[in-house]
Amino acid sequence: HHCSAETKPATGRAADVMMAAWTATELAHRMFKEGAKNTEITDMISKVAEAYKCTPLEGVLSHQMKKHVIDANKVMINKANAEHQVKEITVDKGDVFSIDIVMSTGEGKPKLTDKRTTVFKRDLEEKYSLKMKASRAFFSEVNSKFPTLPFTLRAGDERAWRMGVVECVKHGLFIEYPVLYEKPEELVAQVKF
């Protein structure tokens, strides 16, 4: 499925980037079996992107999932280069992954934006005694509702949570999911399953 503001069928570069993401997803799904290597899947994503004259986005990871953990140790990268490398892994029987394929008509180098994120995840390894009352209330409520999984600020009292999240992020108790942008004239397609 795809989301688009257009009501007519996609054509040109929009169709290319959507087909590149969809084709890479279908092939990753077929390749994902016991004995497959993450490097093989990454190479396949690059070949599909090249065929459609698109670029896989850098820094996009597909993570192994375990009970209450959405980003376990085994990962597959969308595009390998000198800056972004992952350890080679082999898919074992019973492995569960969240596959994330993102293609762009541009360079494939997303940039951080000045827009504030509203999606966060608890970093279970960090400990800190919060000073502000709003931060302690936010931390306590989020810890009871979302102990390990990501959440959005809209899931609670957004105004109070916006105040509380600042100190928590500053001291590493929560990890932000950043808002990334490609150049305005470029198109991006994402398929995640």
Side-chain angles (χ1 to χ4, degrees):
H1 300 287
H2 73 278
C3 284
S4 174
E6 300 288 322
T7 54
K8 56 189 175 209
T11 58
R13 295 300 289 152
D16 288 345
V17 74
M18 289 169 54
M19 281 303 296
W22 181 82
T23 304
T25 300
E26 286 294 309
L27 291 173
H29 185 252
R30 286 182 174 90
M31 291 175 73
F32 188 81
K33 55 187 162 200
E34 187 177 7
K37 297 196 178 313
N38 61 346
T39 52
E40 296 168 348
I41 295 173
T42 298
D43 292 342
M44 175 276 304
I45 292 169
S46 295
K47 289 175 184 172
V48 169
E50 192 176 307
Y52 285 97
K53 296 181 179 69
C54 294
T55 311
L57 239 63
E58 292 180 1
V60 175
L61 297 173
S62 297
H63 288 273
Q64 178 190 25
M65 299 172 70
K66 295 182 178 179
K67 186 176 182 180
H68 303 298
V69 180
I70 64 165
D71 52 359
N73 299 335
K74 291 183 178 181
V75 295
M76 294 182 218
I77 194 160
N78 208 34
K79 179 181 181 180
N81 60 21
E83 296 172 20
H84 301 99
Q85 293 289 328
V86 296
K87 186 175 88 175
E88 182 175 84
I89 58 109
T90 303
V91 176
D92 296 323
K93 186 175 184 175
D95 277 353
V96 176
F97 272 77
S98 170
I99 305 293
D100 194 5
I101 309 276
V102 187
M103 298 284 186
S104 170
T105 57
E107 296 175 5
K109 296 181 179 183
K111 312 270 188 293
L112 282 171
T113 179
D114 57 345
K115 305 260 189 224
R116 287 182 51 180
T117 185
T118 60
V119 181
F120 300 87
K121 184 182 75 152
R122 173 87 166 90
D123 185 349
L124 299 172
E125 296 174 8
E126 288 294 320
K127 305 273 188 260
Y128 180 77
S129 295
L130 296 165
K131 308 289 186 253
M132 292 175 41
K133 183 178 177 183
S135 299
R136 289 193 305 270
F138 163 74
F139 182 81
S140 174
E141 189 174 350
V142 167
N143 236 7
S144 64
K145 288 183 178 178
F146 314 99
T148 58
L149 298 176
F151 63 93
T152 177
L153 293 180
R154 290 177 293 197
D157 178 3
E158 193 169 355
R159 182 182 166 130
W161 280 23
R162 279 194 185 277
M163 282 194 323
V165 77
V166 174
E167 184 181 7
C168 293
V169 169
K170 182 178 174 186
H171 295 289
L173 296 174
F174 289 97
I175 300 166
E176 295 179 299
Y177 282 81
V179 179
L180 301 173
Y181 280 89
E182 179 66 277
K183 292 180 181 171
E185 65 276 4
E186 303 299 345
L187 302 169
V188 175
Q190 177 180 23
V191 180
K192 187 167 187 159
F193 66 97

